[in-house]
């Protein structure tokens, strides 16, 4: 119970004590301010509703503070991501550069008029992962495609950026005016010899390139078409598309303008998973994202068909008609498939000629094996006696492909083949380039895997 008279006398004594001489205590009896405050907030006191309101206001202010803090942090994250997005997706800049060159007569190609004049070649969803390599889903005369454009203007040969030379220091400066077709053929032949090695059939590839370069199919290669073709030939992906143009799992080239090119669209642009808006991607932990991706995959027979397609593509680039190519980034985002579940490559920029990679990596200074890596998957060893990278890549393409397919195929695999499938996949992952009779083992393991998968799905609708 609170004593109202006591409250009045207490306030009176306080008023009186404030008039005491200096050095005297305000609380001579040892009473503390905390003791005086107790009746104000005690149960049954007149002041308890005010105290409850004070506590309520404190909770409310705390809630508002953290709410505004969350809004501020979320807004900052979205702003940073949007800034990153605008830096990554520079399609307008790329189009301006290309169209300026086309309108001044520097370059030409089958896609130039649609891109720069009639504007029937549209840039859609941005798929870029680097500002220097622009990649978009697009529409060209009502046909879906993938548009790729290069923004890098310097020559990069170090492994921190790009293996392949990008644009020349002066854009589209080769070949020069007055260059004959024969001279241009010699230029292309020399480039192929440096990239692919001294192959016996390089002249056939040169003739194939001239056919592609003649974009308007008038039987002649103009200077603008030659400049566009020369710029494109610096790109490993373009070269590989031409070499493997008749292969099932390589996207078809639809057209080009300068070093912008349009390739066949793929319905599903990742081996597994679902596409989410980038704002949602921000708040999903990477570990949970990987687990979630594995849930959103086709049925197992369809996965087996896609896997067979990847194994066939490995065959295509392993000792192909113009030498061996190395797959230096075998991640799921670089592989896709169509509505019939046939594998289609989405991004082949990190598939490089073996000869080219060996020449560029063999003199690279290193402290450890970690310094001798291109992309994510092409690794050599560091020679500690010379502190230079060796030229021999440790893991073959097939081993990298099997590493990617292991979880993909074993999840949901039929019980009757699971044990054998797991055994073959681990044998495949253990392949090394330096192993004796590697090529024989490579062919044997690849054929055994394909046979095992085909036998299981050959009598299903998914085959």
């Amino acid at each position: 119970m609170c004593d109202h008279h006591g409250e009045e006398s207490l306030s009176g004594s306080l008023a009186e004590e404030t008039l005491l001489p200096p050095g005297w205590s305000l609380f001579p009896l040892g009473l503390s301010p905390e003791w005086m405050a107790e009746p104000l907030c005690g149960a049954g006191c007149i002041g308890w509703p005010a105290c409850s309101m004070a506590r309520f206001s404190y909770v409310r202010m705390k809630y508002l503070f953290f709410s505004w803090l969350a809004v501020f942090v979320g807004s900052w994250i979205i702003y940073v991501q949007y800034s990153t997005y605008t830096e990554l997706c520079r399609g307008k800049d790329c189009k301006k550069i290309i169209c300026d060159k086309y309108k001044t007569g520097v370059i030409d190609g089958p896609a130039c008029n649609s891109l720069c004049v009639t504007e029937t070649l549209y840039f859609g969803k941005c798929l870029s992962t680097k500002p220097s390599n622009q990649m978009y889903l697009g529409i060209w005369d009502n046909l879906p495609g993938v548009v790729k454009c290069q923004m890098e203007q310097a020559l990069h040969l170090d492994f921190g950026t790009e293996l392949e030379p990008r644009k020349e220091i002066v854009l589209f400066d080769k070949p020069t005016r007055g260059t004959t077709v024969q001279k241009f053929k010699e230029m292309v032949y020399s480039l192929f010899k440096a990239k692919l090695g001294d192959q016996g059939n390089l002249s056939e590839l040169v003739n194939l390139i001239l056919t592609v370069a003649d974009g308007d199919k008038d039987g002649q290669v103009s200077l603008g078409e030659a400049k566009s073709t020369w710029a494109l030939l610096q790109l490993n992906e373009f070269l590989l598309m031409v070499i493997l143009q008749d292969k099932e799992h390589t996207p078809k080239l639809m057209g080009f303008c300068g070093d912008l090119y349009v390739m066949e669209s793929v319905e599903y642009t990742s081996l597994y998973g679902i596409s989410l808006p980038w704002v949602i991607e921000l708040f999903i932990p990477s570990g949970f994202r990987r687990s979630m991706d594995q849930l959103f995959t086709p049925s197992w027979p369809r996965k087996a068909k896609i896997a067979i397609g990847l194994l066939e593509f490995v065959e295509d680039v392993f000792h192909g008609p113009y030498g061996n190519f190395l797959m230096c980034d075998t991640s799921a985002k670089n592989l896709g498939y169509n509505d019939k579940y046939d594998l289609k490559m989405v991004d082949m920029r990190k598939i490089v000629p073996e000869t080219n990679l060996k020449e560029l990596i063999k003199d690279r200074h290193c402290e450890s094996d970690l310094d001798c890596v291109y992309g994510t998957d092409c690794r050599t060893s560091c020679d500690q006696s010379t502190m230079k990278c060796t030229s021999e890549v440790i893991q073959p393409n097939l081993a990298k492909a099997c590493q990617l397919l292991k979880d993909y195929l074993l999840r949901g695999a039929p019980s009757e083949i699971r044990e054998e499938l797991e055994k073959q996949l681990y044998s495949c992952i253990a392949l090394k380039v330096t192993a004796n009779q590697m090529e024989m083992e490579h062919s044997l393991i690849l054929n055994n895997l394909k046979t095992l998968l085909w036998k299981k799905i050959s009598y299903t609708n998914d085959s």
Side-chain angles (χ1 to χ4, degrees):
M1 294 295 291
C2 289
D3 185 354
H4 300 288
H5 299 290
E7 197 171 18
E8 292 175 358
S9 63
L10 179 61
S11 60
S13 66
L14 279 173
E16 292 171 4
E17 287 193 5
T18 54
L19 301 176
L20 292 175
W24 287 68
S25 172
L26 273 171
F27 307 102
L29 300 178
L31 303 178
S32 66
E34 290 79 8
W35 177 86
M36 292 192 307
E38 283 182 9
L40 297 176
C41 293
C45 291
I46 293 175
W48 82 264
C51 294
S52 298
M53 288 298 294
R55 287 171 178 160
F56 176 75
S57 298
Y58 171 74
V59 172
R60 187 177 180 184
M61 288 298 295
K62 186 177 180 182
Y63 170 78
L64 288 174
F65 171 76
F66 284 108
S67 297
W68 279 109
L69 181 64
V71 169
F72 173 77
V73 173
S75 301
W76 181 80
I77 292 174
I78 292 173
Y79 170 76
V80 170
Q81 290 297 322
Y82 178 76
S83 300
T84 304
Y85 175 85
T86 55
E87 177 65 22
L88 278 177
C89 302
R90 300 168 59 194
K92 290 183 179 179
D93 296 336
C94 192
K95 179 180 177 180
K96 184 179 185 304
I97 293 171
I98 294 294
C99 289
D100 286 349
K101 295 295 182 181
Y102 170 64
K103 290 175 180 177
T104 54
V106 176
I107 58 175
D108 201 357
C112 290
N113 189 65
S114 299
L115 178 69
C116 305
V117 181
T118 63
E119 296 189 349
T120 54
L121 174 54
Y122 303 100
F123 286 40
K125 180 182 178 182
C126 178
L127 304 175
S128 306
T129 56
K130 287 186 177 180
S132 58
N133 296 316
Q134 296 296 295
M135 182 174 172
Y136 286 82
L137 294 179
I139 301 291
W140 185 9
D141 291 335
N142 298 320
L143 293 175
V146 176
V147 184
K148 295 189 178 181
C149 179
Q150 320 309 311
M151 292 295 294
E152 193 68 42
Q153 297 185 14
L155 191 66
H156 290 301
L157 293 178
D158 64 300
F159 281 27
T161 51
E162 293 292 330
L163 174 67
E164 55 196 21
R166 284 299 314 113
K167 292 182 179 177
E168 307 291 340
I169 301 302
V170 179
L171 295 178
F172 311 114
D173 66 334
K174 294 181 182 179
T176 56
R177 188 173 297 278
T179 302
T180 63
V181 173
Q182 183 59 37
K183 178 63 177 176
F184 182 59
K185 290 175 70 174
E186 291 172 4
M187 289 172 58
V188 174
Y189 184 91
S190 298
L191 177 65
F192 287 166
K193 189 173 180 178
K195 274 181 170 282
L196 304 173
D198 195 6
Q199 305 287 331
N201 53 353
L202 288 183
S203 296
E204 297 176 12
L205 183 56
V206 172
N207 292 330
L208 180 59
I209 290 296
L210 289 181
T211 303
V212 174
D214 182 16
D216 55 9
K217 306 304 177 187
D218 62 353
Q220 298 179 345
V221 178
S222 68
L223 181 61
E225 290 172 334
K227 285 179 179 287
S228 293
T229 304
W230 182 257
L232 287 166
L233 288 177
Q234 313 308 311
L235 307 175
N236 293 318
E237 182 174 54
F238 180 83
L239 177 59
L240 195 59
M241 273 196 296
V242 174
I243 291 174
L244 302 179
Q245 63 178 342
D246 296 326
K247 300 297 183 180
E248 179 184 1
H249 307 296
T250 306
K252 302 296 183 286
L253 178 68
M254 297 172 64
F256 60 86
C257 181
D259 61 357
L260 176 148
Y261 56 101
V262 186
M263 54 196 286
E264 176 187 7
S265 179
V266 180
E267 284 83 352
Y268 301 94
T269 56
S270 181
L271 189 61
Y272 51 73
I274 57 173
S275 177
L276 296 173
W278 63 270
V279 175
I280 297 177
E281 292 273 13
L282 293 177
F283 302 100
I284 301 179
S286 57
F288 178 74
R289 175 64 165 153
R290 286 192 296 270
S291 301
M292 185 176 70
D293 282 343
Q294 289 289 351
L295 296 175
F296 292 92
T297 56
S299 63
W300 190 87
R302 289 171 175 171
K303 288 195 293 184
K305 186 179 181 182
I306 295 168
I308 290 170
L310 178 56
L311 297 175
E312 290 174 346
F313 180 78
V314 169
E315 284 184 295
D316 292 339
V317 299
F318 181 71
H319 293 318
Y322 303 103
N324 188 20
F325 283 75
L326 299 175
M327 300 171 67
C328 295
D329 186 359
T330 50
S331 58
K333 62 181 173 58
N334 293 333
L335 313 174
Y337 54 93
N338 60 21
D339 54 359
K340 296 181 180 179
Y341 300 93
D342 296 316
L343 178 97
K344 292 287 183 180
M345 299 301 296
V346 174
D347 193 341
M348 300 188 295
R349 284 175 293 193
K350 286 295 191 291
I351 301 179
V352 300
E354 182 178 27
T355 301
N356 196 19
L357 179 65
K358 285 183 174 182
E359 284 298 315
L360 291 170
I361 200 172
K362 67 179 182 180
D363 294 324
R364 180 175 173 80
H365 176 75
C366 62
E367 300 289 338
S368 69
D369 290 351
L370 296 176
D371 298 320
C372 302
V373 182
Y374 173 66
T376 56
D377 297 321
C378 286
R379 304 171 182 272
T380 70
S381 57
C382 180
D383 187 341
Q384 293 297 321
S385 61
T386 62
M387 305 303 286
K388 300 285 185 181
C389 294
T390 59
S391 61
E392 202 67 47
V393 176
I394 296 171
Q395 198 175 33
N397 293 334
L398 183 59
K400 303 166 195 173
C402 288
Q403 181 67 55
L404 176 64
L405 292 174
K406 178 172 69 70
D407 293 336
Y408 186 70
L409 284 177
L410 291 179
R411 184 183 182 90
S415 57
E416 59 270 23
I417 69 164
R418 181 183 173 84
E419 184 177 349
E420 178 61 23
L421 178 60
E422 186 173 14
K423 177 182 175 183
Q424 290 195 24
L425 285 170
Y426 276 106
S427 297
C428 176
I429 293 170
L431 276 174
K432 300 291 182 185
V433 171
T434 54
N436 293 331
Q437 300 180 324
M438 189 278 296
E439 290 191 23
M440 184 180 297
E441 287 184 47
H442 183 285
S443 298
L444 184 63
I445 290 175
L446 191 148
N447 289 329
N448 286 345
L449 263 173
K450 285 174 59 179
T451 301
L452 179 65
L453 295 173
W454 267 124
K455 279 185 176 180
K456 190 60 188 173
I457 68 171
S458 56
Y459 299 106
T460 67
N461 294 330
D462 298 306
S463 63

